[in-house]
Amino acid sequence: MPEEKVALVNGISMGGGASLMVPMTFSVVTEKVVFGNPKTSIGFHTVWSYMLSHLPGHLGEYLALTGDRFNRKELVAVGLETHFVPSEIPPQTWCVAADGATIDKLQGFIDFSCGGKIDCLLIQPGQACYEPNNPRAHASWCLDAYYRTYKTCDTLGTIVYIDPSYGDCLYI
């Protein structure tokens, strides 16, 4: 079975690093990638002579003559990038009831959201998120479900970075 080879590139991939990227089965890059070999512009082709001749179309000739650099969009255009991952993965966030939100307003949000905006089965008696049976806990679950569906945290809520899930009640 043939081996798969993967290049992971987060930032500058020049000279020898870039020459290692070309023959890989997969090239996984971030938005920070800069690819090239500036030494080719002064006629220094050592390892690159072979690599340049194996690039698609006249790309190798272009790079040999100019020493140009490519960013991510250009790597995609010439087929040297196979996969993309962001360099920073945003943290997981949840929307829960804000400390200053009144019980009346939280109950109003529960009524509003459970009136057809989201599926509130999990906060019904006997379900995973029913306990603790109080408006703040139920509103927190509703606020987060609404946040997941509509991509906005209501003004009664606040964004948190610690998973509020408990027991079998999962905030997902």
Side-chain angles (χ1 to χ4, degrees), residues 10-131:
N10 180 27
I12 298 171
S13 181
M14 300 258 181
S19 70
L20 290 174
M21 188 176 153
V22 172
M24 298 296 159
T25 310
F26 302 102
S27 292
V28 182
V29 303
T30 71
E31 72 281 354
K32 295 179 180 179
V33 71
V34 178
F35 173 91
N37 187 14
K39 293 177 185 170
T40 57
S41 63
I42 60 169
F44 191 67
H45 289 235
T46 59
V47 174
W48 268 76
S49 294
Y50 176 80
M51 291 302 149
L52 292 171
S53 67
H54 285 80
L55 292 174
H58 296 286
L59 180 61
E61 293 166 356
Y62 172 78
L63 288 174
L65 293 170
T66 65
D68 205 358
R69 299 173 182 181
F70 288 164
N71 62 28
R72 177 177 176 251
K73 287 183 179 179
E74 294 161 333
L75 286 175
V76 170
V78 299
L80 290 177
E81 174 202 312
T82 61
H83 294 80
F84 171 78
V85 293
S87 61
E88 294 183 28
I89 298 177
Q92 176 70 43
T93 57
W94 294 265
C95 176
V96 297
D99 290 337
T102 66
I103 297 300
D104 288 344
K105 292 206 180 230
L106 293 174
Q107 186 60 55
F109 186 81
I110 294 168
D111 297 341
F112 162 76
S113 59
C114 293
K117 300 290 183 190
I118 59 170
D119 180 0
C120 292
L121 176 66
L122 288 178
I123 60 170
Q124 299 303 313
Q127 298 300 317
C129 299
Y130 180 70
E131 295 294 337

Side-chain angles (χ1 to χ4, degrees), residues 95 109 113 117-120 139-152 171-172:
C95 176
F109 186 81
S113 59
K117 300 290 183 190
I118 59 170
D119 180 0
C120 292
S140 287
W141 188 90
C142 290
L143 283 158
D144 190 65
Y146 190 89
Y147 177 59
R148 303 260 164 255
T149 304
Y150 298 101
K151 311 296 183 230
T152 183
Y171 284 60
I172 52 172

